[in-house]
Amino acid sequence: MHKVTEALETNHYVIVLALDFSKAFDTVRHSSLLEKVAQLDLPDNVYKWLANFFNGHSHCMWFNGRTSQLRNVNASIIQGSGRVMYVVNAADLQAVTPGNIMVKYADNTYLVIPACNIDSREREISNIEAWSCVNNLTLNQSK
């Protein structure tokens, strides 16, 4: 609300787009997340701990008395690390038009476009779609 209020101080209206990424926590690739973590100013041992935490997970199903083969899990933010790791993953999602504002809280993302930038909507959505493809996320435009 603070960013919207700030934008309204110099504009007659603003457009607020609430973005929904389908199954956001389930589709984040460990490899791309760890590339982003490596860019942070963290001690090596913290990075190694996170890499160890996200590597080596597998999953199988038991149904009708039968167990499936183990499959490696190379995507999803594992419970317990979710919100913080999603924030790290989404840190490079930025508005492309000066004056537009991307507001993020965990997996909730909002794009605030002031009236003076109304013509930038399509370019911003294209940027968000491109970012989501690179980051193995699906922008749910029906919501």
Side-chain angles (χ1 to χ4, degrees):
M1 289 302 295
H2 176 71
K3 294 295 184 183
V4 171
T5 303
E6 278 183 347
L8 284 170
E9 289 175 358
T10 56
N11 292 272
H12 296 292
Y13 64 91
V14 298
I15 296 168
V16 179
L17 300 175
L19 306 173
D20 179 68
F21 297 102
S22 300
K23 299 185 179 190
F25 289 93
D26 297 336
T27 59
V28 172
R29 282 189 211 101
H30 296 161
S31 58
S32 57
L33 175 61
L34 289 171
E35 286 176 16
K36 293 177 183 190
V37 169
Q39 301 301 312
L40 300 174
D41 187 21
L42 295 173
D44 286 346
N45 62 328
V46 173
Y47 172 82
K48 289 176 185 175
W49 182 85
L50 287 168
N52 186 54
F53 179 76
F54 283 102
N55 288 324
H57 293 275
S58 56
H59 180 77
C60 68
M61 296 288 296
W62 183 80
F63 180 74
N64 258 358
R66 298 185 66 177
T67 303
S68 68
Q69 292 181 330
L70 283 174
R71 301 285 241 166
N72 289 333
V73 176
N74 57 14
S76 82
I77 300 176
I78 300 165
Q79 188 175 357
S81 66
R83 296 199 186 281
V84 172
M85 288 292 103
Y86 187 82
V87 168
V88 169
N89 188 65
D92 59 346
L93 174 59
Q94 302 293 324
V96 293
T97 306
N100 291 353
I101 305 162
M102 194 75 68
V103 180
K104 297 174 266 186
Y105 177 73
D107 61 333
N108 299 310
T109 305
Y110 303 91
L111 175 62
V112 180
I113 302 174
C116 62
N117 287 341
I118 192 165
D119 293 335
S120 68
R121 288 178 295 182
E122 288 182 25
R123 186 172 52 195
E124 293 288 356
I125 294 297
S126 293
N127 175 62
I128 293 164
E129 287 175 330
W131 178 89
S132 65
C133 286
V134 167
N135 287 278
N136 204 36
L137 295 168
T138 301
L139 180 61
N140 185 350
Q141 292 194 22
S142 66
K143 287 189 177 182

